[in-house]
Amino acid sequence: MPLLLAMVASAINLNQPGFRADDPKTAIVADAATRPLDWSIVDDAGRTVLTGRTSVGGDDRASGDHVHVATFTTLTRPGTYRVRIDGAESGRFAVGREIYAPLARNALNFFYQQRAGIPIDARWAGARWARAAGHPHELATGFSGVDEKGNRWPGCRYTLDVTGGWYDAGDQGKYVVNGGIAVWTLQNLYESGFARRVFADGQAKLPEAGNGRDDLLDEARWEVEWMLRMQVPGGTRLAVPVGPQDPSGKLTLTEVDAGGMVHHKVADAHWTALPTAPADDRETRLLYPPSTAATLNLAAVAAQAARLWRPIDPAFAARCLRAAKAAWTAAQRNPAIFAAQGFTGSGGYGDTALDDERAWAAAELFATTGGAAYRKSLPTGATGEPGWASVAPLGTITLATANGIPPAIRTAARASIIAAADRSLAEIPQSGYRIPYASQSYSWGSNATILNRAMLLGLAQRFTGDARYRAGVVDAADYILGRNPLGQSYVSGTGWKPLTNPHHRFWAHQLSAASPPPPPGALSGGPNNTAMADPIAMKLKGHCVPQRCWADDINAYALNEVAINWNAPLVWVAAYLDGD
Ligand code: 9MR
């Protein structure tokens, strides 16, 4: 592929929805010119309203581009405009208010669209996306028999009703580990107060809108209720792999008191084809063995939910806190039961480093109860962006923001977030497209990595009042919404070149005219040059620079899937940016 041959300005890359009037405004253009180029901004009447010259950014490894930077921050008059540079013209973008609120609401609606166990109603989903309930009576028992690695599982004596929750992604598995960070992010957005305007009751498109409660809490509760259902009944003994196991995957199972632990996932016994609408899934749904990671995820988010629901629905709050404490106790008793990886039909979410899960759960329980027992397990050390397998930062954020945290603990947590934000800011000038991420390594879900950095930047802005941090959030949002070498908005229904063909079993229009395209507000996982596992990625492998290792193709599951843990920071960041 002739990646480095862009001789003229082929595309002007910028945030496609546009900019808040008082925010920094930047476009990046790939152009071989070594001297500054003239740019102009034209309004809808074709009048030139602002002109300037680019600064030459030079060669950039992550994009393979020779970049020019056009800065037009002084364009503050509300309206719609285009940028012209060197014979090229951009699409139409807006300057004003309410740039991000519609995106935040669409991004939250993604969670409604992913709900299991309830019909998806045209009133809130849009007519094209209405569908019958998937897995409406999900009564599941434990996997029994021989797994792919030859381990024989005895199964469990009970059946749990695990109806509800969100499908994880393009698949229809429901995973406690990934549900945890997704719920936490929505609940944290509520707790942080950034979203009061954007998600005041009745603003979102969901059945509970108008019930007198915050819409973010309503959506998050849909998942919390399901997570509570995944808890192993008290006093149950189960055979599980205790501690580190043979690298071959051959497990030694030992019977333990598993009461209060949490099943890692409920999912199909075999992978289903694309397309498969949730209601058409004929596979057996199974509970998979409990894991310490899932148990600590429930402890964390149920404790967080207890704190937030206490003034609104004390009975639910008390139920959450009981479950959180039982989970914590169970994880203390069984500290190293790692998710078994020998099953087909669903994702792994395997993790064998659980100190961060413990620290996160301790932080949430401490913030909710003040209990001295949790205090000694709080997060320590440097903060980086969170991810499903590195969750200590979630605890740190809670310690930095929740009410009633002892001042010394809160100050240390804030300092650690500010230090992480400073490291991200320092990466902006090292990156051609001027984003707070200068690494050449783009992992599975890289767009969410960048948005999770943006979340830390937004918090740093709030703690310090320093506008440089907000500018860093804008840089990240700009990248996600079009300021990237592909000129791609990674969000469906947003911008002039939106995500169109995500890897998804219901939004499978690319494969079948009867299936809908994605609804607006779904975020692609984004470029991935570290695990190029799918057939599309395999063809790109060795032929793409990091930010170009992506394709808008339903088969590109390593590049172009959508997922609850990725959409959640999009909701957070969009609500933050339009928060006032
Ligand atoms: O987000 C997960 C990523 O970090 C892993 O590298 C990848 C492979 O194990 O799995 C991703 O999670 C997928 C999950 O296992 C199943 N549902 C879809 C998720 C997103 O692709």
Side-chain angles (χ1 to χ4, degrees):
M1 269 212 297
L3 294 176
L4 297 168
L5 297 184
M7 296 307 289
V8 293
S10 50
I12 302 171
N13 303 313
L14 71 161
N15 186 320
Q16 297 175 13
F19 306 90
R20 298 260 305 193
D22 43 5
D23 271 339
K25 301 175 193 73
T26 305
I28 303 233
V29 61
D31 194 298
T34 52
R35 268 180 281 175
L37 299 166
D38 293 326
W39 56 257
S40 57
I41 307 277
V42 290
D43 67 12
D44 278 346
R47 281 182 304 242
T48 298
V49 296
L50 196 68
T51 60
R53 313 200 82 191
T54 62
S55 68
V56 185
D59 288 329
D60 170 43
R61 264 175 78 198
S63 62
D65 290 344
H66 182 264
V67 297
H68 284 241
V69 183
T71 307
F72 46 98
T73 303
T74 55
L75 180 72
T76 54
R77 179 193 285 265
T80 49
Y81 303 95
R82 296 170 194 271
V83 197
R84 287 187 185 147
I85 304 177
D86 202 16
E89 188 177 77
S90 75
R92 219 159 147 252
F93 63 92
V95 169
R97 281 189 60 153
E98 292 287 304
I99 299 292
Y100 294 100
L103 170 62
R105 293 184 191 122
N106 288 337
L108 182 68
N109 187 249
F110 169 89
F111 292 87
Y112 172 63
Q113 304 264 4
Q114 290 287 104
R115 283 191 193 182
I118 188 175
I120 300 304
D121 192 308
R123 272 175 291 173
W124 301 293
R128 292 182 88 173
W129 294 284
R131 59 172 173 82
H135 312 99
H137 307 289
E138 201 169 2
L139 304 178
T141 190
F143 179 97
S144 64
V146 179
D147 71 16
E148 305 249 296
K149 309 251 165 148
N151 301 299
R152 180 170 291 283
W153 296 84
C156 54
R157 287 203 188 85
Y158 55 86
T159 294
L160 293 183
D161 180 349
V162 290
T163 308
W166 301 317
Y167 297 124
D168 187 53
D171 64 323
Q172 288 149 13
K174 302 192 294 189
Y175 310 84
V176 170
V177 162
N178 207 42
I181 184 170
V183 164
W184 179 91
T185 304
L186 299 185
Q187 290 190 152
N188 175 264
L189 178 57
Y190 169 80
E191 187 167 39
S192 75
F194 289 131
R196 275 195 203 113
R197 193 184 69 81
V198 175
F199 289 119
D201 177 42
Q203 294 293 317
K205 290 169 286 179
L206 38 114
E208 297 81 9
N211 67 358
R213 294 166 175 170
D214 186 278
D215 292 336
L216 274 173
L217 277 191
D218 284 329
E219 190 56 64
R221 181 165 172 168
W222 184 260
E223 182 79 349
V224 174
E225 297 261 16
W226 166 75
M227 288 176 72
L228 294 170
R229 292 165 177 245
M230 293 290 283
Q231 196 160 26
V232 176
T236 306
R237 297 192 65 79
L238 288 177
V240 291
V242 178
Q245 299 282 318
D246 194 281
S248 68
K250 201 81 189 109
L251 306 173
T252 305
L253 303 187
T254 310
E255 207 175 271
V256 300
D257 173 1
M261 290 195 76
V262 177
H263 286 281
H264 195 64
K265 57 185 172 182
V266 56
D268 290 330
H270 302 96
W271 285 110
T272 56
L274 279 76
T276 297
D280 299 338
D281 179 11
R282 297 286 167 263
E283 282 294 331
T284 307
R285 301 285 281 186
L286 293 170
L287 290 175
Y288 290 87
S291 67
T292 305
T295 305
L296 289 167
N297 267 259
L298 177 70
V301 302
Q304 183 194 27
R307 181 165 82 238
L308 304 179
W309 283 98
R310 207 152 39 194
I312 308 167
D313 182 346
F316 179 60
R319 196 176 131 218
C320 287
L321 190 54
R322 273 196 306 278
K325 286 180 173 171
W328 174 263
T329 305
Q332 295 287 93
R333 191 168 66 236
N334 296 304
I337 297 177
F338 306 128
Q341 296 294 312
F343 305 111
T344 186
S346 54
Y349 288 121
D351 184 4
T352 52
L354 302 184
D355 285 350
D356 56 318
E357 279 76 8
R358 233 177 315 276
W360 174 34
E364 299 301 340
L365 280 156
F366 178 70
T368 303
T369 66
Y374 308 117
R375 194 170 176 148
K376 54 183 187 297
S377 302
L378 297 180
T380 51
T383 299
E385 75 278 356
W388 65 262
S390 46
V391 289
L394 308 181
T396 304
I397 295 171
T398 286
L399 296 175
T401 50
N403 288 329
I405 303 295
I409 293 178
R410 188 174 63 193
T411 304
R414 290 188 172 193
S416 144
I417 290 166
I418 293 165
D422 285 337
R423 287 193 296 277
S424 295
L425 279 190
E427 293 187 34
I428 294 172
Q430 299 166 26
S431 133
Y433 275 76
R434 299 296 186 270
I435 60 171
Y437 187 84
S439 163
Q440 302 299 312
S441 169
Y442 278 66
S443 59
W444 200 306
S446 65
N447 281 341
T449 305
I450 292 167
L451 287 170
N452 278 319
R453 285 195 175 191
M455 180 171 72
L456 296 176
L457 286 160
L459 291 163
Q461 183 270 325
R462 174 180 167 170
F463 301 151
T464 62
D466 186 335
R468 289 177 312 135
Y469 297 117
R470 181 179 168 100
V473 183
V474 173
D475 282 322
D478 284 358
Y479 169 84
I480 297 296
L481 297 171
R483 201 179 85 199
N484 55 64
L486 303 172
Q488 181 71 45
S489 162
Y490 288 111
V491 182
S492 54
T494 306
W496 56 79
K497 192 182 176 192
L499 165 68
T500 304
N501 297 311
H503 179 80
H504 199 276
R505 278 172 174 67
F506 181 57
W507 309 327
H509 195 66
Q510 184 185 339
L511 299 178
S512 151
S515 300
L523 172 75
S524 167
N528 175 355
N529 69 347
T530 57
M532 303 185 76
D534 67 59
I536 308 290
M538 279 179 204
K539 281 199 207 122
L540 280 172
K541 198 169 177 175
H543 305 287
C544 55
V545 290
Q547 288 176 354
R548 291 177 184 269
C549 295
W550 186 79
D552 193 0
D553 191 308
I554 192 166
N555 296 310
Y557 61 79
L559 315 176
N560 202 33
E561 194 160 355
V562 294
I564 54 175
N565 62 318
W566 303 338
N567 243 73
L570 178 64
V571 178
W572 199 108
V573 168
Y576 161 83
L577 283 169
D578 251 5
D580 58 354

